[in-house]
Amino acid sequence: MAELKLARQLDPDLDEIDLAMMRRAMELARVAASMAEVPVGAVVYRGTEIIAEAANTRESSRDPVGHAELLAVSAAGRRLSEWRLSDCSIAVTLEPCPMCAGALVNARMGRLIYGAADPKGGAVRSLYALADDGRLNHQVKVISGLFAEPCGRMLTEFFRARRAARRAARSERIRGCA
């Protein structure tokens, strides 16, 4: 109940379902991290029903568009046999990039709920405001910052470990040459 009260400070429309869907997105992000993927998870849902979900797969699939949001939106369209997702919401652990924010607009997504801001690539609030730009033919309702701290911590820890592994590998190569 306390979590919901805090969430409603972000937006009064948030409910327990939104919290559960973000928790699921966070589980997917942890799965991505365990596979050496950037830990981002996304869940497309309508009411209490999960329509589609995905985690980042760029590294394993070698696909530059293997972002969790794109994979989940694409799967949702296929599952519903409809490209318009205006009655759906998407919960994602990281603020979408320009490519993903554009896809959400073009899919006519009803709502976007995201966790951590992305100051280097976020196209919803940080660098741009694509999702709810009034000049575009559709605006997505945006709710930012739900579970921002744990979502951000997951990303920080992932990149910290990745940098440490690269430093260790570099040191090992240097020792091997000596």
Side-chain angles (χ1 to χ4, degrees):
M1 190 62 176
E3 258 184 354
L4 181 58
K5 188 175 181 179
L6 285 173
R8 287 202 170 136
Q9 291 175 3
L10 294 174
D11 190 283
D13 291 336
L14 285 171
D15 60 25
E16 288 289 349
I17 295 164
D18 300 314
L19 298 176
M21 297 303 172
M22 183 59 86
R23 283 189 205 97
R24 178 63 186 146
M26 291 168 64
E27 289 173 21
L28 293 165
R30 283 189 282 280
V31 169
S34 75
M35 299 181 338
E37 298 282 353
V38 174
V40 178
V43 178
V44 176
Y45 59 103
R46 184 171 53 193
T48 61
E49 180 187 13
I50 293 176
I51 306 299
E53 59 185 23
N56 273 4
T57 63
R58 252 180 14 166
E59 299 299 326
S60 59
S61 67
R62 307 239 187 284
D63 183 354
V65 298
H67 290 208
E69 304 95 303
L70 292 181
L71 297 170
V73 166
S74 185
R78 284 192 306 275
R79 175 151 182 236
L80 297 173
S81 298
E82 174 66 60
W83 65 266
R84 290 176 189 88
L85 303 176
S86 56
D87 60 345
C88 295
S89 296
I90 186 168
V92 63
T93 56
L94 178 65
E95 178 182 4
C97 71
M99 176 174 63
C100 294
L104 297 177
V105 170
N106 284 307
R108 310 296 195 268
M109 186 64 65
R111 289 188 319 157
L112 161 65
I113 302 166
Y114 72 86
D118 184 355
K120 292 183 178 181
V124 176
R125 289 288 181 262
S126 295
L127 299 177
Y128 307 101
L130 292 179
D132 54 1
D133 187 323
R135 297 170 295 178
L136 300 175
N137 62 343
H138 176 76
Q139 289 79 51
V140 180
K141 177 179 169 63
V142 175
I143 302 168
S144 61
L146 183 61
F147 297 136
E149 196 276 325
C151 290
R153 186 174 353 100
M154 195 178 331
L155 287 154
T156 300
E157 289 170 1
F158 173 82
F159 286 112
R160 182 177 295 133
R162 188 187 223 176
R163 286 189 299 274
R166 285 184 179 157
R167 279 192 301 276
R170 200 169 26 249
S171 293
E172 192 62 33
R173 281 194 306 273
I174 292 169
R175 270 188 240 125
C177 292

